[in-house]
Amino acid sequence: MFRNAISTLLVILSSLAAPYVMAADSCKHIFDALTKVATTPSHSYTTSTAVNGGKASEAETIFANGQKYIRARGKWMRLPVTSQDVLEQEREKQEHGKSTCQFLRNESVNGEAAMLYSVHREYDEVKEDGQMWVSRGTGLLLRVEEDFDNGGNKVKEHRSTRFEYGNIRPPT
């Protein structure tokens, strides 16, 4: 009886402590998700709006077969950047920048269970503040809402990005 009570108490305490353990290492989930975007075939759709009320711009990016493609002026272009290059850039940001992440809550994105994080990143002359939704099942990024401030070239904008996975091929 006493042993069962102790076991039950340990289960309850560990479930109460789980959010604190997750919070302590919460940027790992974000870094892993950012890595997966570059290494998993993905198609992202981004709307950027200048903070000063400028016109919104649309962008699309595809990662497939280790290559990065963007859609510019209605035409697809393969960039001279590989998935490995993107991973290296991300590692540099992690190693030489500052990041703070906080798990906020569980939510659903298009019917998929997701973990919502607040994220603040600083690297070079860039500051990013936003929210990222990471799939609970796959660890892939599903959605990002962020304010981007590049002090070096005085660009401030809000970016809204959604990601799709599955049946992704290089554009033709």
Side-chain angles (χ1 to χ4, degrees):
M1 176 83 169
F2 181 72
R3 186 174 294 180
N4 287 344
I6 295 292
S7 296
T8 302
L9 181 61
L10 287 174
V11 168
I12 291 169
L13 289 175
S14 66
S15 69
L16 292 173
Y20 299 105
V21 171
M22 185 180 274
D25 198 22
S26 60
C27 278
K28 179 180 180 346
H29 292 287
I30 297 301
F31 295 149
D32 289 349
L34 291 167
T35 297
K36 285 183 176 186
V37 168
T39 58
T40 303
S42 63
H43 190 158
S44 63
Y45 303 84
T46 302
T47 301
S48 300
T49 307
V51 172
N52 64 4
K55 184 180 174 187
S57 64
E58 304 282 323
E60 287 182 62
T61 303
I62 289 179
F63 279 102
N65 299 333
Q67 298 295 309
K68 183 177 182 178
Y69 303 85
I70 63 167
R71 189 174 191 162
R73 296 187 182 107
K75 296 188 182 213
W76 284 102
M77 303 176 2
R78 184 173 66 87
L79 296 179
V81 175
T82 65
S83 293
Q84 195 60 40
D85 296 332
V86 172
L87 292 175
E88 286 300 318
Q89 289 174 337
E90 194 55 46
R91 277 190 203 104
E92 285 287 316
K93 290 177 189 178
Q94 291 174 32
E95 291 174 8
H96 302 293
K98 294 187 300 185
S99 298
T100 54
C101 309
Q102 181 179 6
F103 172 78
L104 298 177
R105 64 186 167 272
N106 291 309
E107 285 191 356
S108 177
V109 176
N110 295 326
E112 187 168 348
M115 299 172 288
L116 172 60
Y117 292 88
S118 67
V119 180
H120 173 81
R121 294 173 30 135
E122 294 181 22
Y123 52 92
D124 301 326
E125 295 183 44
V126 174
K127 292 181 184 176
E128 298 175 7
D129 282 294
Q131 296 184 325
M132 295 186 179
W133 287 258
V134 178
S135 168
R136 288 190 80 61
T138 64
L140 292 166
L141 273 179
L142 299 174
R143 181 175 161 207
V144 175
E145 294 287 334
E146 68 179 341
D147 292 316
F148 179 85
D149 182 354
N150 185 335
N153 62 12
K154 298 182 171 83
V155 170
K156 289 185 180 184
E157 59 189 9
H158 178 80
R159 295 178 180 169
S160 179
T161 305
R162 66 181 173 87
F163 298 85
E164 294 180 359
Y165 305 93
N167 200 25
I168 306 295
R169 295 187 185 96
T172 54

